[in-house]
Amino acid sequence: MPPQAPAGGPARPPQAPAARLRAWFAAHPLAFDAVLALGVLVCMVAASFTDPHGSPTGPTFGERAPTGRGVLVMGAGAAALVLRRRRPFAVLAFTVASSLVELAADTRPAPVTMSAVMALYTVASRTDRPTTWRFGLATMTVLTAAAMAFGPTPWYAQENLGVFAWTGMAAAAGDAVRSRRAFVHAIRERAERAERTREEEARRRVAEERLRIARDLHDVVAHHIALVNVQAGVAAHVMDRRPDQAKEALAHVREASRSALDELRATVGLLRQSGDPAAPTEPAPGLADLDGLLDGFRKAGLPVTLARAGGEVPLPATVDLAAYRIVQEALTNVRKHAGPDARAEVSVVRVGRTVEITVLDDGAPPAGGPAGGGGGHGLLGMRERVTALGGTLTAAPRYGGGFRVQAILPVTSRTGEDT
């Protein structure tokens, strides 16, 4: 029968026995070192029964046997390897000392240097390269010199050179393993950092998009609802005495409501997915639509004058939209907070590679009312728009009364658009 999936998720594919064994040893390093020490001990004991020059035809096995002291020294050297990860330098010093004792005290020394070779490999694989060079050269020099000085063969025998070769290979192999381990760790860390960077960038873009949509919705709703509120108040005030003027005010209410719905539809259409019905194709508003925007405020009872200079060359889309929204929000604040007798002035001036938008009013806030936009998000939204494009915004009361909003926007936006 096929394996059943556990309740918490799909069934894991079965691991090979070798993979399970590697995973177990990775989780229990002390057990692995104990098995390794046992293997080194078996190799040393087997090598102690071998005589490289036992016959003219080659080495012989079983014609010699290790001494009791040699077995004890080999056992001590192998046992020390169990602690090679925890105390690598102490284990290296102990195994080298054991090898020196055996080389100096026995005419037929046991191959205790195998444990020193393994200890040197551990030091090289767990430290840096300068440390490997220092301890590797010291170990090779000491063991090779002891083998040449105290060994039963001439100093130039291949067994003595073999001690030099084996210790050198142990240091080189350990350094190679350490380098590969560091390389793999660096690659894994770089991949994890790249993944974290992608996630942070995605979260940042989502947050920026939320702020942009929130600003657009605020600007659209605040502007049109303010106009609707004013015209509805006019209609209610003159309904009985001047029905014609009330009808005109209600027509303005209907027009402002329709404009608000159209802009909301266009803004929400940006959130549609690829499979959703087609989003509205109307272009985003810009300074070209400024006359219509000001007419709406004039109909709502706010006298507005407009001055332009150097505006023949069109602006980038993001800058054009930001300039329009700044004028819209600033005039909305004037209509809401500057009093019924306020007048406003709007100027749009192209200066070099910047465009300056200034909105002035001469009104005063109602008694006890907030100045300069109240506690809403209008000024905050304008400041976020300007900052996102790399510009500056100044909003402060004017000397002698009124309020002044000025935004300086670079013609080249941060999105890379340019004229």
Side-chain angles (χ1 to χ4, degrees):
M1 295 180 63
Q4 297 290 332
R12 294 182 179 178
Q15 289 183 328
R20 291 199 300 269
L21 185 62
R22 284 196 300 270
W24 190 86
F25 276 132
H28 303 83
L30 194 64
F32 177 82
D33 291 339
V35 173
L36 177 65
L38 180 61
V40 172
L41 178 61
V42 171
C43 291
M44 289 191 295
V45 172
S48 66
F49 284 93
T50 303
D51 188 356
H53 307 285
S55 67
T57 59
T60 58
F61 183 80
E63 295 186 1
R64 70 169 187 171
T67 63
R69 185 183 65 253
V71 173
L72 291 177
V73 174
M74 288 188 292
L81 293 178
V82 178
L83 302 176
R84 68 188 185 96
R85 298 176 194 260
R86 299 182 179 180
R87 308 289 296 275
F89 294 103
V91 171
L92 177 62
F94 180 80
T95 53
V96 170
S98 302
S99 301
L100 293 176
V101 169
E102 183 63 16
L103 288 171
D106 201 333
T107 57
R108 304 184 69 181
V112 189
T113 52
M114 288 187 182
S115 60
V117 167
M118 184 57 63
L120 179 59
Y121 165 83
T122 303
V123 169
S125 65
R126 301 181 70 84
T127 58
D128 53 13
R129 183 162 295 170
T131 303
T132 300
W133 274 99
R134 289 196 298 269
F135 282 85
L137 288 174
T139 302
M140 286 188 291
T141 302
V142 169
L143 291 182
T144 304
M148 290 179 176
F150 303 110
T153 58
W155 67 269
Y156 53 83
Q158 65 179 6
E159 289 86 349
N160 301 331
L161 298 179
V163 173
F164 181 85
W166 278 107
T167 51
M169 286 190 295
D175 183 70
V177 169
R178 179 197 55 78
S179 298
R180 182 182 181 279
R181 189 183 298 133
F183 177 72
V184 171
H185 177 73
I187 291 178
R188 184 179 295 111
E189 186 179 23
R190 191 178 301 115
E192 293 175 353
R193 190 184 307 115
E195 183 66 24
R196 289 195 301 269
T197 303
R198 282 194 296 269
E199 293 176 356
E200 292 172 358
E201 179 67 15
R203 287 195 294 268
R204 185 186 65 81
R205 290 184 178 181
V206 169
E208 289 181 352
E209 186 66 12
R210 286 175 177 172
L211 284 175
R212 186 188 66 80
I213 294 173
R215 287 195 298 265
D216 286 342
L217 290 176
H218 173 270
D219 293 344
V220 171
V221 172
H223 164 62
H224 291 290
I225 295 303
L227 295 183
V228 168
N229 179 60
V230 171
Q231 296 295 344
V234 171
H237 182 68
V238 300
M239 179 67 71
D240 296 331
R241 293 175 298 173
R242 296 182 179 179
D244 294 339
Q245 189 173 353
K247 185 181 299 185
E248 182 181 354
L250 292 176
H252 292 326
V253 169
R254 184 172 60 251
E255 181 181 351
S257 301
R258 185 183 302 110
S259 299
L261 290 175
D262 291 341
E263 292 199 35
L264 284 174
R265 189 179 300 111
T267 302
V268 175
L270 298 176
L271 304 178
R272 295 180 185 270
Q273 302 296 326
S274 58
D276 292 342
T281 57
E282 293 85 355
L287 293 180
D289 306 307
L290 203 55
D291 292 331
L293 176 67
L294 300 187
D295 287 340
F297 280 102
R298 294 187 185 108
K299 293 176 182 178
L302 175 64
V304 184
T305 59
L306 173 64
R308 292 176 183 262
E312 296 81 8
V313 181
L315 299 175
T318 53
V319 179
D320 202 24
L321 175 61
Y324 178 88
R325 294 301 189 196
I326 289 169
V327 174
Q328 182 184 57
E329 179 61 30
L331 291 178
T332 301
N333 286 341
V334 172
R335 191 66 188 86
K336 290 167 59 177
H337 304 294
D341 299 326
R343 303 174 63 88
E345 300 176 7
V346 178
S347 66
V348 179
V349 181
R350 178 77 175 265
V351 181
R353 301 187 65 83
T354 62
V355 58
E356 297 183 5
I357 300 98
T358 306
V359 180
L360 306 174
D361 71 81
D362 58 358
H377 300 280
L379 291 179
L380 178 61
M382 284 192 286
R383 195 175 304 279
E384 288 175 349
R385 284 185 185 277
V386 173
T387 303
L389 296 175
T392 58
L393 178 74
T394 304
R398 299 172 61 192
Y399 179 77
F403 205 78
R404 176 175 178 269
V405 175
Q406 183 182 44
I408 301 177
L409 301 176
V411 174
T412 303
S413 67
R414 290 184 178 179
T415 59
E417 299 176 283
D418 200 347
T419 58

